[in-house]
Amino acid sequence: MKLFKNILALAIITLFAFSCKNEAKPEVVTSPNSEITTNNEVAKLDPNANYAKAEFTIEGMTCAMGCAKTIEKKMAKMEGVKSATVDFDKKLAMVEYDDAKVTPESLENTVTSVADQYSVKDMKTVESFTKDKKECSATCKEKCANKTDAEKMACKEACKKTCAEKAKKA
């Protein structure tokens, strides 16, 4: 029995001593779409430029990651585009761009060049994006919720003015 314990102890010690110590650290690879590239692109934006905002519907998208994100990335890479967001669920694209470098037609061409199945509908220039308006409205509803009817009316009017001023600044 003592011999068996000694052999077992020797086997365990040997196992720990010669076991594979895989301490390799994962290799970090920087892709071209990394933060460094994004920061350089932001630095290229002209602070004195006149930025316009456009909203339009994209038909033909079948998924959020493959379709919407691909279109979003293509538009964001365009020279003069400050920001681009594509909402798959609403089929809505929101792009802020330098109107001296980018036109609505070039945005449409970029979307349709990703794949033949995509088409742009209802392109319009807006003062503020739809989601900005909804966020401001939601904040107003929360602020005005626990007030009397007269106070609610005054609160809602004040909120509308505040939201309109925020939209003009954006």
Side-chain angles (χ1 to χ4, degrees):
M1 185 73 165
K2 190 174 183 182
L3 180 64
F4 179 72
K5 286 182 183 178
N6 287 339
I7 293 173
L8 184 60
L10 184 62
I12 291 174
I13 292 171
T14 306
L15 180 67
F16 283 116
F18 296 106
S19 65
C20 178
K21 294 180 182 176
N22 189 4
E23 295 178 12
K25 295 181 181 175
E27 181 180 353
V28 178
V29 178
T30 306
S31 71
N33 296 331
S34 69
E35 282 183 24
I36 296 167
T37 305
T38 305
N39 289 341
N40 290 341
E41 288 173 6
V42 171
K44 291 179 188 176
L45 294 175
D46 183 6
N48 299 321
N50 184 29
Y51 288 99
K53 294 180 179 182
E55 283 188 349
F56 51 92
T57 305
I58 301 174
E59 297 291 330
M61 292 189 294
T62 57
C63 61
M65 293 307 290
C67 299
K69 288 298 176 193
T70 302
I71 295 169
E72 186 176 297
K73 286 177 185 177
K74 287 279 187 182
M75 287 191 296
K77 286 182 182 179
M78 292 175 65
E79 183 179 348
V81 171
K82 186 175 182 181
S83 67
T85 305
V86 178
D87 186 341
F88 171 71
D89 296 326
K90 296 177 185 174
K91 298 181 180 180
L92 182 68
M94 297 170 281
V95 184
E96 188 172 5
Y97 61 94
D98 179 352
D99 60 3
K101 295 181 180 179
V102 179
T103 63
E105 291 79 22
S106 64
L107 290 172
E108 184 174 353
N109 290 339
T110 300
V111 171
T112 56
S113 71
V114 174
D116 293 334
Q117 68 194 39
Y118 305 133
S119 63
V120 174
K121 302 228 188 297
D122 305 323
M123 170 92 59
K124 60 187 171 215
T125 304
V126 295
E127 290 296 317
S128 66
F129 293 130
T130 304
K131 111 175 148 179
D132 294 341
K133 293 176 191 172
K134 288 181 181 177
E135 287 174 0
C136 192
S137 296
T139 304
C140 285
K141 283 182 183 178
E142 289 176 19
K143 277 185 182 179
C144 302
N146 296 328
K147 299 192 183 285
T148 65
D149 288 340
E151 290 174 331
K152 278 184 185 179
M153 293 296 285
C155 183
K156 286 181 182 180
E157 288 301 317
C159 273
K160 282 182 185 178
K161 287 180 184 176
T162 305
C163 288
E165 289 172 9
K166 283 182 182 178
K168 286 180 184 177
K169 288 179 184 176

